[in-house]
Amino acid sequence: MSSIDDTINQINAAIVSIVIAVSFINLTLGTIGLVFNVIIFTRPSLRNEPCSLYFFSSTCFNLFVILVIVPIRIASEGFNTDITSYNIGICKLEFFVFYVVRTIPCWLIVLACVDRYLKSSTKVHIRRLSSLRTAKIAIYFIVSVLIILHIHMPIYYEITRTFDGYGNLIPACYGQTGFYRKFIAFWSMASYSLCPSLLMILFGMLTVRNVHLSGRIRSEVTSRRIDRQLACMLTAQVLAIVFSTLPFSVYRLYASFTASLPKDATRLAWENLAFKSASVLTYFAHSTSFYLYTLAGTIFRKELVKIVRRHLWKRNEIHRTLNLHGQQQSEKVQKVIKKHEATSKDRYGCIAKNRTEL
């Protein structure tokens, strides 16, 4: 075996290790954090805010990403059990559903940025657009639009023969060769990473501009504590999405510009390592929201503390009730024993007295 083959094998082994390790980290962090998100965003202090509704909806889709997509990716990338490579129906359905579900949370955060922009406006009629009714309509609209915009995937995805990282020809689920494969590369970059990130930054800048134009934050709208905390949480989430998906966008651009260049096996292996690493890093955009909200939002931390305290209080109450019940049962047993002993003494006393009289 040549040194080139050794290098390629080492790179492929590194890919498997990176994918499995990072995926398990995301699976663990995401499962715990997103469940807490669902509990906290349904609390009375937060559930009536349109921005909270966007966060809650994003969390629901992120749960699907973490609990369904990530385990499937671990099985396919780490253990070579990708059933999409052998069933055309599953191939089309899986890639369509996975692309749509991963894209929706990013656009819901964009809507949250738009909501902050509307709420910071100096014009009353614009601020009124920030409402729960508007948020519900916007969520239904963006989900429907993204489903429609991805409808081409079940049509053009197919099982084709391709070389794996070790040079073996294997079946794999990909878009049709030619124009569509280049299109889907740009499309996934634009819809999942580039456009949402740019829009988040744009509306963030517009929100800052609105605040500066107003001269001060209006007392009846954005000076409320909950609004400020939601803005801080949103900023943290935006930064996480931008930095988690930026390497993916950079790689997609690089791959598009270098697609026509001749590449040897070693370079392809390194590019595959870069692609897999960039892809798996995007899952941090779906798994870390709870920890970002906890760090950035005081109201979020307070709700978390309330939930933990309530759980501990209930557990203590259960232990206290069980202990009290145990003590009561013990006292009852002691009373029965004492009563039984007294009865026995009386009985034996009577027997002894009768024997003496006899």
Side-chain angles (χ1 to χ4, degrees):
M1 183 177 293
S2 65
S3 59
I4 295 177
D5 293 334
D6 289 337
T7 302
I8 293 174
N9 289 334
Q10 290 174 2
I11 294 173
N12 290 327
I15 291 173
V16 174
S17 299
I18 291 172
V19 169
I20 293 178
V22 178
S23 296
F24 271 112
I25 291 172
N26 279 291
L27 182 62
T28 304
L29 294 178
T31 302
I32 298 171
L34 293 172
V35 170
F36 272 109
N37 277 358
V38 171
I39 297 172
I40 293 173
F41 283 125
T42 53
R43 301 275 294 174
S45 60
L46 288 172
R47 65 187 175 196
N48 293 324
E49 290 290 329
C51 193
S52 295
L53 182 58
Y54 292 125
F55 286 150
F56 174 77
S57 302
S58 177
T59 296
C60 293
F61 286 101
N62 283 333
L63 272 172
F64 184 90
V65 174
I66 296 300
L67 298 180
V68 178
I69 297 180
V70 171
I72 291 177
R73 285 290 173 257
I74 292 174
S76 62
E77 300 289 347
F79 302 98
N80 294 321
T81 56
D82 190 0
I83 59 175
T84 62
S85 300
Y86 304 96
N87 187 300
I88 186 63
I90 296 177
C91 164
K92 292 176 178 290
L93 180 64
E94 180 181 307
F95 274 81
F96 170 68
V97 173
F98 285 10
Y99 265 77
V100 172
V101 174
R102 286 188 66 186
T103 304
I104 288 174
C106 298
W107 285 94
L108 291 176
I109 299 301
V110 172
L111 293 179
C113 293
V114 175
D115 176 76
R116 293 298 91 188
Y117 162 71
L118 296 175
K119 202 146 193 175
S120 65
S121 176
T122 56
K123 299 178 181 179
V124 176
H125 67 280
I126 294 180
R127 291 201 302 271
R128 286 175 180 169
L129 293 175
S130 175
S131 64
L132 278 177
R133 182 174 179 274
T134 303
K136 292 177 182 178
I137 294 174
I139 291 170
Y140 289 130
F141 175 77
I142 200 66
V143 171
S144 302
V145 168
L146 288 174
I147 291 174
I148 294 171
L149 291 178
H150 284 81
I151 203 67
H152 54 84
M153 297 187 69
I155 299 173
Y156 292 103
Y157 262 70
E158 60 186 11
I159 297 176
T160 58
R161 291 278 175 176
T162 185
F163 289 98
D164 63 7
Y166 297 94
N168 301 317
L169 194 62
I170 60 170
C173 185
Y174 282 113
Q176 289 183 2
T177 56
F179 170 77
Y180 183 76
R181 191 164 293 185
K182 294 180 180 179
F183 165 77
I184 196 63
F186 275 104
W187 172 257
S188 61
M189 176 191 67
S191 63
Y192 177 65
S193 174
L194 193 60
C195 289
S197 298
L198 292 176
L199 288 174
M200 291 174 198
I201 294 172
L202 173 62
F203 280 101
M205 294 172 63
L206 291 175
T207 301
V208 174
R209 177 176 172 271
N210 279 347
V211 173
H212 287 168
L213 285 176
S214 66
R216 59 183 179 85
I217 303 177
R218 292 178 172 268
S219 60
E220 71 274 17
V221 181
T222 53
S223 68
R224 291 172 54 198
R225 193 179 217 176
I226 189 170
D227 289 333
R228 294 197 301 271
Q229 296 305 319
L230 288 173
C232 292
M233 291 160 57
L234 179 60
T235 302
Q237 179 69 79
V238 168
L239 291 175
I241 292 175
V242 171
F243 287 113
S244 296
T245 60
L246 182 61
F248 179 79
S249 296
V250 171
Y251 176 82
R252 283 295 193 183
L253 289 173
Y254 164 80
S256 300
F257 286 121
T258 62
S260 59
L261 298 178
K263 303 175 183 179
D264 58 21
T266 305
R267 179 171 178 177
L268 289 173
W270 282 113
E271 288 185 359
N272 190 38
L273 173 62
F275 172 67
K276 297 292 186 182
S277 300
S279 297
V280 79
L281 284 177
T282 60
Y283 290 115
F284 282 110
H286 304 278
S287 65
T288 57
S289 58
F290 166 76
Y291 310 98
L292 296 170
Y293 298 156
T294 303
L295 291 172
T298 304
I299 188 170
F300 193 87
R301 288 197 300 272
K302 288 182 178 179
E303 293 299 329
L304 176 63
V305 170
K306 288 180 182 178
I307 292 171
V308 174
R309 284 180 176 174
R310 179 175 296 182
H311 174 73
L312 294 176
W313 180 81
K314 286 183 177 179
R315 190 174 68 175
N316 291 335
E317 281 296 307
I318 292 172
H319 286 310
R320 193 179 297 112
T321 303
L322 291 175
N323 291 335
L324 181 61
H325 182 70
Q327 290 176 0
Q328 291 175 347
Q329 291 294 326
S330 178
E331 291 175 358
K332 289 181 180 179
V333 171
Q334 291 295 332
K335 289 180 180 179
V336 171
I337 292 173
K338 289 179 179 179
K339 186 176 181 181
H340 178 70
E341 290 177 348
T343 305
S344 298
K345 288 180 180 180
D346 292 341
R347 187 182 304 165
Y348 288 128
C350 291
I351 293 172
K353 184 177 180 181
N354 292 334
R355 285 178 179 177
T356 303
E357 291 176 353
L358 292 174

